[in-house]
Amino acid sequence: MTLPIPAIDLRDGKVVRLFKGDYAQQTTFDVEPLALAGRYADAGSAWLHVVDLDGARSGQFENLPTLSRIVDAGRLHVQAGGGVRDEDGVKRLLDAGVSRVVVGSIAIREPDTVARWLATYGAERIVLALDTRFRDGEWKLPSAGWTADEARTLDDLLPFYVAAGARHLLCTDIDRDGTMTGPNTALYRHLEQLAPSMDVQASGGVRSLDDIAALTLQGVSGVILGRALLQGEFTLGEAFDMAARAGATC
């Protein structure tokens, strides 16, 4: 079953969204992060996805106090990332009560290191964030908050992690992120062929309940919902209902 997962992106302790990952194109929402997390819990969510945008660039999880308040409320399982560059960062988030640590840049740059983390902490505790953009006929893998291009491609790297026993993959089409132009279902079809054993969380561009239905029919395990919820395009309850209805037709 496909699970809608609400997302909170943090910058300077505030709830924000970026357009295509561009830090210069930021929308700040007038809601306190803990209050927003509470609203999502009230709507029936069991999970929350949190991104530290400051940490994604600096390499330090800078919004940890805000994250800790959300975790300490005890109402949601939290998967969090942004700024995890070493094992101390993994431990820091796990010690803060995070259920799953999302690793991005280091998963691209140091796959052997992340493979060791998978063996040490278990595949349930690590989410690979292999965010991508299609360029020159390949799915490229930018890093450092999508500000630096890396040589490895999605097709190069993902089979390595399948062999390493990774289970959870979060994959954002960067060109769709924050755009409200619809998800790239072709990307998720490609991932199903490339890594059928992995639970894929789709992210980027979701704008409507029909988009959730399309991704559910695609067979993804989760759909990350950010701007669409913040702008009131639909409610989280409606997202759960749509995923359940679409899943029943699979």
Side-chain angles (χ1 to χ4, degrees):
M1 177 180 172
T2 299
L3 180 67
I5 303 172
I8 295 179
D9 289 2
L10 297 172
R11 193 175 184 193
D12 296 325
K14 298 176 181 177
V15 176
V16 306
R17 291 295 297 174
L18 306 182
F19 182 79
K20 295 185 179 181
D22 186 348
Y23 283 72
Q25 298 189 67
Q26 172 181 306
T27 303
T28 302
F29 292 87
D30 187 20
V31 60
E32 199 276 327
L34 181 59
L36 181 59
R39 278 168 32 190
Y40 291 149
D42 289 342
S45 186
W47 282 90
L48 178 70
H49 177 70
V50 177
V51 180
D52 185 336
L53 292 172
D54 299 303
R57 292 204 297 186
S58 71
Q60 300 291 327
F61 207 95
E62 298 185 25
N63 287 279
L64 188 58
T66 301
L67 173 69
S68 295
R69 287 195 293 273
I70 293 171
V71 171
D72 290 346
R75 304 191 64 197
L76 293 157
H77 299 292
V78 177
Q79 64 176 34
V84 177
R85 299 289 191 270
D86 53 32
E87 191 164 2
D88 284 344
V90 175
K91 292 177 180 177
R92 191 179 179 200
L93 290 181
L94 292 176
D95 288 346
V98 166
S99 297
R100 295 176 186 155
V101 177
V102 180
V103 294
S105 295
I106 194 169
I108 300 168
R109 295 172 176 170
E110 300 181 34
D112 289 336
T113 296
V114 175
R116 288 196 298 272
W117 296 349
L118 287 163
T120 300
Y121 300 101
E124 280 300 326
R125 306 306 299 275
I126 303 291
V127 179
L128 305 175
L130 300 183
D131 299 332
T132 187
R133 57 165 63 102
F134 197 72
R135 296 290 187 274
D136 302 321
E138 296 180 310
W139 286 106
K140 305 289 188 178
L141 293 171
S143 63
W146 303 341
T147 61
D149 289 328
E150 301 289 339
R152 291 184 175 94
T153 67
L154 184 64
D155 288 48
D156 292 335
L157 192 55
L158 194 52
F160 169 86
Y161 280 118
V162 171
R167 177 176 178 186
H168 296 286
L169 170 66
L170 170 63
C171 194
T172 303
D173 182 344
I174 297 166
D175 287 333
R176 303 292 182 104
D177 187 66
T179 65
M180 300 286 289
T181 56
N184 189 338
T185 53
L187 169 60
Y188 302 108
R189 284 195 297 273
H190 182 63
L191 290 174
E192 173 61 25
Q193 295 172 351
L194 194 61
S197 64
M198 297 189 76
D199 289 343
V200 175
Q201 299 175 18
S203 173
V206 174
R207 65 196 163 180
S208 69
L209 295 173
D210 287 343
D211 290 337
I212 294 172
L215 288 168
T216 300
L217 293 172
Q218 195 60 58
V220 300
S221 68
V223 179
I224 304 297
L225 301 175
R227 187 181 290 271
L229 291 179
L230 289 166
Q231 292 184 179
E233 303 298 326
F234 50 81
T235 69
L236 189 54
E238 289 171 334
F240 288 137
D241 289 344
M242 177 56 79
R245 291 201 303 273
T249 66
C250 294

